[in-house]
Amino acid sequence: MSFALDLLIRSGRVHGRDELVDLHIRDGKVIAVVPSGSIAVEAADVLDAGGGLVSRSFTEPHYHPDKAYSRSLAPREAKDAFERARLIKTGFTVEDVTARAVRALKLASANGVTTLRANVDVDSYSGLRGLHGVLAAREQVAHLMDVEIVAFPQEGLDRDPASRGLLVEALSSGADLIGGWPNVEDTLEGQRANVREIFDLAERFDVDVDIHADCMIDANETMLEYIAEETVRRGYQGRVLASHCCGLEVYADADAARVVAAVAEADIKIVVIPLNLLDGGPRGLSRPEELMAAGVTVAAGSDNMNDGWYPLGTLDPLDRAQMTFLGAGFHDEGAVDTAWDMVCGQSAAVLGGRAGDIEVGEDADLVLLDAPDRATAIANTPATRTTLRRGQVVSRRDTGSRILEPVAP
């Protein structure tokens, strides 16, 4: 028996529409979104959304899966997060990285993620073990999500010269992008030289740049502006993502305006990290409203989970959206949509995808939530979710509660 549809999603809510809708899925694509029950159609499978929100799936633009669930692996107490992370990754094996990364990526899928960018340490402490572990994990979760891998020299280049050769090997062995953290070098000129070397490698392998910049909430962290200048010098506009960028928040307003303009001119995408809230003092979320007003694409990433840098974490985009809403100082109803976009459409856009929500004709990468709207979902982080990738159900989660009452205006 042949069916008109592969899948019918019935009685869902789509942002921006008042009525319940049905979504028609065929060949992995959304082919129609119509008022619920308005068209009689045969489908091989039916999902009843039960009045819950149906959204485009989430994108995780910044995560370190090689380190997932590794905090307990530290062999002894460490004086700081840097030392703890080094102690842990010195003991990495390809097999243990693979197992922990798969566990984390499956969790992300259950939370509604179908695209993820993975930063993987490449340095003299971990060698290429983290890279090969995450490459293997990527293969195991290929049915769940698309995973891009950044070769990330966390320890620096001058401070860890062995990283240079390892980065070349990584980019020849499956890494998709080159990363960096220039601020870890000991001098300003060393930091700038780090940026130039990263761009040299990007040009050599014709890959994009995904760089950690100014991770501390400190006005002396000033690499973002230099990265913008180097982006323009190299003609790399639109091919650079910078994450963290916390120094920007505590610059004098005139200095911040100059840097924001430079970032916009260079068409650099920005990923803020809500976990910077843990550092105390200022929020550490990098002036997202000012960046967006200048035309910069801004998303929010998870960074770390249960590793040498951070003991907690959920890999839940809705947790991330709530932390972003609070940490960025958002306060009105329109900002709910901004926070949502920073983990959904805008998050996809920083990785080169399309912004916005569900569109007819595109891949049916979707998430069904037991909440009627975005505000309720962000406020209550719905327990029940169903994740679809290209029209196929790939993950479900249900932690036992159901919330379908909207938040009062």
Side-chain angles (χ1 to χ4, degrees), residues 270-287:
I270 299 293
V271 173
V272 301
I273 307 297
L275 291 185
N276 290 130
L277 288 165
L278 298 173
D279 293 338
R283 298 186 302 270
L285 259 74
S286 320
R287 300 182 186 243

Side-chain angles (χ1 to χ4, degrees), residues 202-214:
E203 291 179 334
R204 176 178 169 183
F205 287 91
D206 190 22
V207 296
D208 290 358
V209 174
D210 187 318
I211 193 164
H212 291 52
D214 306 337

